[in-house]
Amino acid sequence: MKSLSLKCGVAALALMVAGAAHAGKSDDTLNVAFTKELENVDSYFNSSREGVVLQRAVWDGLVYRDPVTNEYKGNLATSWEWIDDLTLEFKLREGVKFHNGEEFDADDVVYTVNYVADEKNGAKTQRNVNWMKSAEKVDKYTVRISLKKPFPAAIEFLSGPVSIYPNEYYAEAGPTGMGLKPVGTGPYKVTEVEPGKHFVLEKYEGYHDSPKGQPKVGKIDIRTIPDVNTQMAELFSGSLDLIWQVPADQAGKLGAMEQFTVANESTMRIGYLTLDAAGRTGEKNPFTDVRVRRAVAHAVNREALVAALLKGKSKVISTACFPSQFGCFQDVANYEYDPEKAKALLAEAGYPDGFETDYYAYRDREYAEAISSFLNAVGIKTNFHMLQYSALRELRMKGGTPVSFQTWGSYSINDASAITSQFFKFGSLDDSRDEEVRDWLDVADSATDPEKRKEYYAKALTKIADQAYWVPMFSYNTNYVFTNEVSYTPTPDEVLRFVDMSWN
Amino acid sequence: MTRTADTLLEEIQGPTPGQMLRKRVFGHQGLLFGVAVLGLLLLVAIFAPLLAPHDPYAQDLLARMQPPVFLGGSWEHPLGTDHLGRDYLSRLIYGARISLLIGGFAALISGLIGTAMGVAAGYFGGRVDMAVTFLINVRLAMPVVLVALAIVAVFGGSLQVVILVLGFLLWDRFAVVMRSSTLQVRSREYVTAAQAIGCSTSRVILSEIMPNIVNNLIVVVTLEMAHAILLEAALSFLGLGVQPPTPSWGLMVSEGKQMMLFEPWLVAIPGITLFVLVLAINLLGDGLRDVTAPENRS
Amino acid sequence: MLNFILKRLGLAVLVALTVSAISFSLLFMAGDPAAALAGEQATDVDIEAIRRLYGFDRPMIVQYWEWLSRALQGDFGESYYFRLPVADLIMERLSITMTLGVCGISFALLTAVPLGVVAAIRPNSLIDRFALFLSVMGQAMPSFWFGLMMIVVFSIQLNWLPPSGTKTWVHFIMPTIVLGYYAMPAIMRLTRAGMLDVLGSDYIRTARAKGAGEGRVLFKHALRNAIIPVVSLAAVQMGFMLGGSIVVESIFALHGAGYLAWESIGRNDLPTVQALILVFSMFYIVFTFLSDVLNAWLDPRIRVA
């Protein structure tokens, strides 16, 4: 009790001294809100969007993909070449220093790659790293990375989730130490970490001549505020300068206000219904009949969903991938909104009065609810279950679900292998179990000839659409709202790039 | 002896207990208000299909979040429409069913559990009492909201799950009150008399004890009904209550919360109905306590 | 007295053990911990790797025993989500919840006791009516609704108070009021009833008859006796409050233990949730134990019961 009242007193004193802390352009501090608590700043040990944002600010990869032109440029590496299907050689940039003064060289790359590629070390998103076998040093500024099997998307991954850590520091601090006191080569260094709730970044004065450009804003102050309303209230009161992932309706209202700028960009995330075509929930399950699946596709007014709910740069999609992804063939069967046709198909399949089914979702309740309402309208009576992500995943892994609303963001990897191949190769989340599709995808995933890859992805995607294993709905978008003091143009990969921000 | 037969007669005749009760009931504004509002909401819930102007589930994505008529909307949707273009008034009317259903059944389940435990503890005493007291302590020590959240997160929210969870979590007050009431009644002459003439235990409890503690029970029922309704709303607010598209008032607040800063009526309307309902139930409970036990309030 | 304390202590420990067992088993049903741990974008390979890494494939009773024996030494394991020791995580967040709880109960006591006293001195007066009105409102208003409305009025429209955060004491004003408001009705009713009771008793009449000043009668004699049950109620309410601050913490973005608990449920962060349920229960158990002892000390009749 005593210490608490003491605390209250100290706090009051601090307030009087500091005055109301209104930040922003005047003190070169950009105040940003995160919605989710980030588990660990160490980018190999988190799997959230917030983690990617910090990763791009604090660390660098060997390669950089220009988010606008999609062109690969050297970052920590200056050049690279394929020695064979399984070996990549990199020439490294000289004179780069980590935030703690450690010099960057081949040892750092070797240590980082060997550490994260070892499954025992428990990197959280194995998919990002498990294609690498090991790395070896050739000389101080030359390094080779060996792959487990041919992996055409290697450069894409190296420009994304694989960032390079300082070997001496990481060996000592490990993921926990790295999470609490991150050290990288990136444009911003971390000066303060309160796990999950507060992060402060400062401009790294010695940042190398990177394709990311030089940081302009001096200080970034990030707080976790879970409630969107609270975020907006803070934005109004001036203690936040930028919020993102703002729902469409609110963004519309904020955009109408003079003091804010709303920028909208598409993301790689898509929403879809997955139908139990393989009969995992029971052989007599109606969704094993292709006519029922097509009826579902005809029943949902996707244009209305996009126009009324998602808005912005969202698009109706018909393919089981995001259109910009490599191999995402677009010329497939499209099911226009036609409830009468849906009813006719249901009748043809032996359900003239429709049927009742369990319907699952784990996020975006609004969208899921609107979709279920469209299904109800043609006679597919849905029992809505909104579950926690883990509970739904477990259910889907064990016995499948008749129909569920799912989304997938492909880790922002611009390749169809990051989505289609994840779900149609007999994994536990594969609700269709089509051998032909699996075999085509196997060819497409491992071929090194881009044209052959395209051809086989197209085959697989055409059959998926034709059979309506999935009913692809729409692509997502993100709204960034910031005060007029801030200048920022978001990129279509849902990564908040502090290095691109500046004051007006 | 100075009293005459007349005054004596007057004293005896005085107001009967029934008349006194009636006088107290009709003189108690809170009780009357509670009964009136609760009765009205009950009628609304029962006749929802007749009263609702629209289907509460019919969505119209082209007519989302239309304002209520007093904020410039049209009479087509007197209370406006929600974020999926569903008629707000109709959802509110059907929502009365959900809230009363949850309050009623949760109170029923917890009442059965708590009363059985409390009466058993009070009547038998000894080990039974110790066991029940221990269970009450365990239950009180568990943080309700947290445990309810955890369970609903596991099983997924649905009307049944929420009712069961609340029913199994809110029995503590029943047990505490019924235990002490039974203790008070247990040693009264009519109970000992019934025991002496060889009535069975169940008979003694049902026909001698229960009638004498039932007024306390009713008061707790109202309190727990209100408690359950508020808890369901809190669970729905945290995203773990009943499932959409069920029009629960708590869920409506939670859905409207998204646009709270711009369309505050989306939150205000279900919030106010929730408030009025809980208020009515509480006033009813307070009133019943005052009326049946007037010595507690001067 | 010692005998009484030991008996109560034994009961408290038994209750704590039971609660720990319940919370442990409860959360093991909470979906696949490995899937939750791996996160939304994880593949089957990730999940399988995690399952082996954390030993989720072992029997539950083994895992419970291991957890309990370590918990008794203050080691609650490592958070699956943050990969930090749970004990550190909770300690850090608990200070906010405790501050909020202490401020909330102080607010409730400071408003409810005076109101209750005045209401008892002047039954059926305007103040009594007002107090009743406040308490009835407090019982019927959903806390999340109250919190949201406070933000709309005091942060958005008037711009007087910051809507979120914990930087200064000003940030605690709204959460304190919202949290404290719900403990008010019970405390006020009890104060009022207790005062009415005491004021009608013989010794107060005696004190008055002896010619003691009205203030002296009220504060020296009446309030002192009426306050005893209020103190123990406040202790119990405080225990409830700490467990019930989830809603308030999530609205005002206070990163306290309640918010941590809610988030951890969603993330299936088992060690954290288990530890938090146990910690919240312990608060309740400790507070009720203290209030039992206090009551027994003040009122010797209880010791026999």
Side-chain angles (χ1 to χ4, degrees):
Chain A
M1 280 290 251
K2 206 171 237 169
S3 76
L4 276 172
S5 57
L6 193 72
K7 212 169 163 182
C8 276
V10 172
L13 202 70
L15 181 87
M16 287 193 292
V17 176
H22 264 260
K25 188 180 180 182
S26 53
D27 61 356
D28 201 16
T29 302
L30 184 83
N31 293 283
V32 183
F34 278 0
T35 306
K36 264 178 62 184
E37 291 195 326
L38 179 63
E39 59 264 51
N40 187 339
V41 186
D42 186 327
S43 64
Y44 293 107
F45 292 89
N46 69 56
S47 59
S48 62
R49 193 45 47 187
E50 288 78 5
V52 177
V53 168
L54 285 183
Q55 182 230 351
R56 302 293 160 97
V58 179
W59 290 281
D60 286 308
L62 292 169
V63 189
Y64 178 73
R65 173 163 60 81
D66 188 307
V68 180
T69 61
N70 284 336
E71 182 194 343
Y72 295 110
K73 297 173 179 170
N75 191 357
L76 285 177
T78 48
S79 66
W80 60 93
E81 63 176 322
W82 286 97
I83 304 293
D84 55 51
D85 273 2
L86 293 173
T87 316
L88 262 167
E89 185 177 284
F90 293 89
K91 290 273 178 230
L92 303 181
R93 191 182 292 269
E94 298 180 27
V96 176
K97 280 205 166 66
F98 285 96
H99 299 150
N100 63 351
E102 202 178 315
E103 197 188 344
F104 164 77
D105 58 27
D107 291 327
D108 299 305
V109 181
V110 170
Y111 186 84
T112 308
V113 169
N114 287 340
Y115 183 85
V116 299
D118 185 349
E119 196 198 303
K120 281 203 293 297
N121 290 321
K124 194 157 178 182
T125 308
Q126 281 293 314
R127 205 202 119 80
N128 285 340
V129 289
N130 69 359
W131 49 276
M132 294 186 287
K133 195 168 100 197
S134 62
E136 60 182 297
K137 180 179 178 176
V138 178
D139 60 47
K140 190 166 185 211
Y141 290 106
T142 310
V143 73
R144 282 184 179 186
I145 295 178
S146 329
L147 279 53
K148 283 181 183 151
K149 56 180 187 215
F151 188 66
I155 295 296
E156 171 67 24
F157 275 80
L158 287 170
S159 75
V162 182
S163 41
I164 304 302
Y165 284 7
N167 63 332
E168 284 156 38
Y169 180 73
Y170 201 43
E172 189 190 311
T176 309
M178 190 58 117
L180 292 172
K181 266 188 98 125
V183 171
T185 58
Y188 281 93
K189 60 182 182 202
V190 182
T191 54
E192 209 181 317
V193 173
E194 289 177 63
K197 48 184 196 185
H198 187 208
F199 310 99
V200 180
L201 311 183
E202 265 171 43
K203 181 155 79 175
Y204 177 39
E205 295 295 348
Y207 189 50
H208 68 266
D209 183 23
S210 152
K212 282 183 183 175
Q214 291 295 320
K216 290 161 224 73
V217 174
K219 205 167 162 187
I220 313 276
D221 188 300
I222 304 163
R223 277 186 293 149
T224 304
I225 301 177
D227 192 286
V228 184
N229 287 307
T230 318
Q231 286 186 8
M232 287 190 293
E234 293 281 11
L235 192 68
F236 290 148
S237 71
S239 44
L240 280 178
D241 301 303
L242 183 147
I243 59 179
W244 58 312
Q245 297 173 325
V246 181
D249 292 327
Q250 285 95 317
K253 296 279 185 182
L254 288 169
M257 298 183 174
E258 261 176 30
Q259 66 270 41
F260 302 120
T261 311
V262 175
N264 182 277
E265 253 311 338
S266 64
T267 74
M268 242 176 230
R269 181 174 296 276
I270 65 164
Y272 58 90
L273 292 180
T274 169
L275 308 175
D276 181 24
R280 297 172 70 200
T281 58
E283 277 183 35
K284 288 211 181 101
N285 168 23
F287 296 105
T288 51
D289 188 323
V290 67
R291 289 168 297 193
V292 172
R293 300 199 297 269
R294 286 179 182 151
V296 170
H298 281 299
V300 181
N301 188 347
R302 298 173 295 167
E303 281 78 12
L305 289 175
V306 169
L309 299 181
L310 287 108
K311 303 178 186 168
K313 291 202 175 172
S314 284
K315 295 234 156 42
V316 168
I317 55 164
S318 300
T319 327
C321 44
F322 181 75
S324 86
Q325 286 176 318
F326 179 89
C328 191
F329 182 65
Q330 289 300 302
D331 192 13
V332 298
N334 181 32
Y335 302 90
E336 76 285 4
Y337 174 55
D338 188 345
E340 288 316 310
K341 196 164 178 183
K343 280 183 200 159
L345 279 165
L346 284 177
E348 206 180 300
Y351 303 100
D353 304 318
F355 56 88
E356 205 174 318
T357 183
D358 287 322
Y359 171 80
Y360 295 87
Y362 71 101
R363 59 176 272 173
D364 304 312
R365 190 162 72 184
E366 196 182 9
Y367 307 160
E369 212 179 326
I371 293 170
S372 82
S373 186
F374 281 122
L375 296 183
N376 291 337
V378 299
I380 303 175
K381 197 186 165 311
T382 51
N383 299 320
F384 196 121
H385 304 276
M386 185 93 188
L387 298 186
Q388 290 276 327
Y389 174 74
S390 54
L392 180 52
R393 172 131 193 178
E394 189 182 19
L395 194 68
R396 294 190 62 212
M397 288 196 317
K398 282 189 177 151
T401 52
V403 49
S404 71
F405 174 67
Q406 295 289 325
T407 79
W408 190 251
S410 303
Y411 329 98
S412 297
I413 287 165
N414 206 13
D415 193 290
S417 68
I419 176 163
T420 319
S421 313
Q422 291 287 310
F423 296 99
F424 288 95
K425 287 169 76 170
F426 285 60
S428 62
L429 301 178
D430 184 352
D431 290 326
S432 57
R433 317 259 154 160
D434 185 317
E435 287 178 21
E436 211 175 20
V437 169
R438 176 192 61 188
D439 296 342
W440 286 333
L441 287 173
D442 273 336
V443 176
D445 285 347
S446 53
T448 37
D449 172 18
E451 287 312 311
K452 190 170 180 193
R453 294 189 70 208
K454 274 188 187 167
E455 181 194 336
Y456 278 85
Y457 280 129
K459 279 184 176 201
L461 289 167
T462 305
K463 183 163 186 196
I464 291 168
D466 191 49
Q467 289 293 316
Y469 291 138
W470 276 13
V471 182
M473 291 278 155
F474 38 69
S475 61
Y476 279 71
N477 67 72
T478 300
N479 289 299
Y480 304 79
V481 181
F482 36 91
T483 64
N484 286 342
E485 285 183 343
V486 181
S487 160
Y488 178 56
T489 309
T491 47
D493 54 3
E494 212 185 346
V495 178
L496 204 54
R497 286 184 162 75
F498 298 130
V499 70
D500 289 347
M501 296 175 191
S502 59
W503 301 111
N504 271 330
Chain B
M1 271 301 201
T2 49
R3 269 191 258 185
T4 65
D6 270 7
T7 54
L8 202 64
L9 196 69
E10 207 166 66
E11 248 169 50
I12 294 169
Q13 278 185 337
T16 63
Q19 282 171 328
M20 268 155 63
L21 186 69
R22 228 166 292 145
K23 195 177 158 213
R24 282 206 298 270
V25 168
F26 286 103
H28 198 291
Q29 293 168 353
L31 181 63
L32 291 181
F33 175 83
V35 170
V37 171
L38 200 61
L40 188 72
L41 285 172
L42 212 58
L43 287 178
V44 166
I46 293 168
F47 295 108
L50 298 176
L51 292 169
H54 294 270
D55 175 355
Y57 301 105
Q59 86 180 9
D60 179 1
L61 294 180
L62 295 176
R64 301 171 63 235
M65 294 187 280
Q66 305 221 321
V69 74
F70 50 86
L71 290 173
S74 73
W75 281 104
E76 171 70 15
H77 300 289
L79 290 182
T81 58
D82 74 355
H83 64 298
L84 292 176
R86 298 174 295 207
D87 183 56
Y88 225 46
L89 177 62
S90 307
R91 289 182 70 73
L92 214 58
I93 288 172
Y94 275 85
R97 283 184 165 188
I98 307 298
S99 286
L100 287 171
L101 220 64
I102 287 173
F105 276 100
L108 182 73
I109 295 171
S110 53
L112 286 175
I113 300 173
T115 308
M117 287 172 74
V119 170
Y123 186 78
F124 297 110
R127 294 235 168 124
V128 180
D129 188 23
M130 266 167 65
V132 169
T133 310
F134 174 72
L135 285 178
I136 293 174
N137 271 310
V138 169
R139 161 50 210 91
L140 284 174
M142 306 223 290
V144 185
V145 179
L146 224 154
V147 173
L149 275 177
I151 299 177
V152 177
V154 178
F155 295 103
S158 71
L159 204 53
Q160 295 92 315
V161 170
V162 170
I163 287 174
L164 284 176
V165 168
L166 295 180
F168 280 101
L169 280 176
L170 300 181
W171 50 264
D172 50 288
R173 195 162 4 191
F174 284 103
V176 172
V177 173
M178 288 298 99
R179 177 178 167 273
S180 59
S181 307
T182 310
L183 270 176
Q184 276 171 14
V185 174
R186 184 177 62 172
S187 46
R188 296 267 165 89
E189 297 88 357
Y190 50 84
V191 177
T192 18
Q195 284 166 332
I197 60 169
C199 290
S200 68
T201 307
S202 59
R203 205 192 136 88
V204 173
I205 290 180
L206 287 178
S207 58
E208 303 299 334
I209 302 230
M210 284 312 284
N212 287 294
I213 59 174
V214 80
N215 53 349
N216 283 349
L217 180 63
I218 291 171
V219 172
V220 182
V221 165
T222 60
L223 280 175
E224 289 309 313
M225 242 183 108
H227 194 179
I229 291 170
L230 280 181
L231 258 179
E232 181 272 325
L235 289 182
S236 288
F237 177 79
L238 291 173
L240 289 166
V242 299
Q243 289 289 4
T246 318
S248 134
W249 291 347
L251 191 63
M252 286 170 78
V253 173
S254 151
E255 287 172 345
K257 182 192 75 166
Q258 289 291 319
M259 287 299 279
M260 185 186 81
L261 300 185
F262 306 105
E263 311 281 1
W265 57 271
L266 278 171
V267 172
I269 292 174
I272 288 168
T273 48
L274 200 60
F275 172 73
V276 170
L277 171 62
V278 176
L279 185 72
I281 297 176
N282 276 334
L283 286 177
L284 176 70
D286 286 356
L288 282 176
R289 184 172 44 205
D290 292 350
V291 167
T292 54
E295 62 274 14
N296 285 351
R297 200 179 150 86
S298 51
Chain C
M1 185 74 189
L2 188 69
N3 198 16
F4 172 83
I5 291 182
L6 283 178
K7 240 161 126 183
R8 287 283 146 161
L9 200 63
L11 181 70
V13 170
L14 213 58
V15 168
L17 274 177
T18 316
V19 170
S20 81
I22 292 175
S23 66
F24 189 88
S25 54
L26 184 85
L27 284 150
F28 240 71
M29 306 183 294
D32 185 345
L37 195 46
E40 194 182 310
Q41 298 267 318
T43 58
D44 295 349
V45 188
D46 304 341
I47 293 175
E48 200 38 57
I50 282 168
R51 185 171 292 127
R52 265 179 281 129
L53 195 69
Y54 285 93
F56 291 131
D57 36 4
R58 295 171 305 158
M60 216 171 91
I61 189 88
V62 177
Q63 297 186 49
Y64 172 62
W65 179 245
E66 198 185 280
W67 173 75
L68 187 68
S69 48
R70 278 189 300 134
L72 286 175
Q73 301 158 34
D75 173 13
F76 289 102
E78 196 180 68
S79 157
Y80 294 162
Y81 189 73
F82 288 106
R83 292 183 154 245
L84 295 168
V86 171
D88 296 357
L89 207 61
I90 292 182
M91 279 314 283
E92 193 210 324
R93 311 248 173 166
L94 211 52
S95 67
I96 289 175
T97 304
M98 288 289 281
T99 312
L100 189 61
V102 170
C103 292
I105 201 76
S106 311
F107 170 76
L109 283 171
L110 288 177
T111 47
V113 172
L115 269 176
V117 170
V118 177
I121 299 174
R122 303 251 179 284
N124 291 320
S125 66
L126 213 61
I127 292 192
D128 188 18
R129 293 276 161 129
F130 175 70
L132 189 70
F133 170 77
L134 266 190
S135 90
V136 166
M137 294 284 275
Q139 280 177 326
M141 202 154 38
S143 60
F144 53 87
W145 194 72
F146 187 33
L148 294 176
M149 288 299 153
M150 293 264 288
I151 291 185
V152 169
V153 175
F154 293 105
S155 299
I156 306 292
Q157 288 178 353
L158 299 173
N159 205 3
W160 285 356
L161 296 169
S164 74
T166 51
K167 254 191 215 137
T168 66
W169 64 272
V170 178
H171 290 85
F172 278 99
I173 294 179
M174 286 199 290
T176 296
I177 295 177
V178 174
L179 192 64
Y181 197 32
Y182 292 89
M184 261 179 63
I187 294 177
M188 196 168 65
R189 278 160 185 245
L190 198 65
T191 313
R192 185 180 178 278
M195 280 299 277
L196 276 177
D197 225 31
V198 177
L199 285 176
S201 68
D202 293 339
Y203 69 92
I204 292 292
R205 258 176 253 150
T206 317
R208 279 193 179 136
K210 272 180 11 194
E214 191 60 23
R216 198 180 147 81
V217 169
L218 283 178
F219 291 100
K220 179 111 194 285
H221 297 283
L223 187 57
R224 234 174 84 173
N225 281 291
I227 206 79
I228 294 171
V230 173
V231 169
S232 74
L233 174 72
V236 175
Q237 288 275 11
M238 172 96 188
F240 278 135
M241 225 180 227
L242 294 175
S245 62
I246 298 180
V247 174
V248 175
E249 286 181 23
S250 91
I251 291 174
F252 294 104
L254 304 176
H255 294 267
Y259 177 66
L260 180 67
W262 178 43
E263 283 282 281
S264 300
I265 288 172
R267 301 188 283 238
N268 265 28
D269 190 350
L270 284 177
T272 313
V273 180
Q274 283 159 350
L276 277 168
I277 291 190
L278 197 65
V279 167
F280 283 133
S281 311
M282 284 312 293
F283 272 120
Y284 177 83
I285 291 167
V286 169
F287 281 129
T288 37
F289 173 69
L290 289 180
S291 90
D292 279 354
V293 173
L294 185 73
N295 273 339
W297 181 57
L298 291 169
D299 185 351
R301 280 171 302 177
I302 296 176
R303 275 176 242 167
V304 194

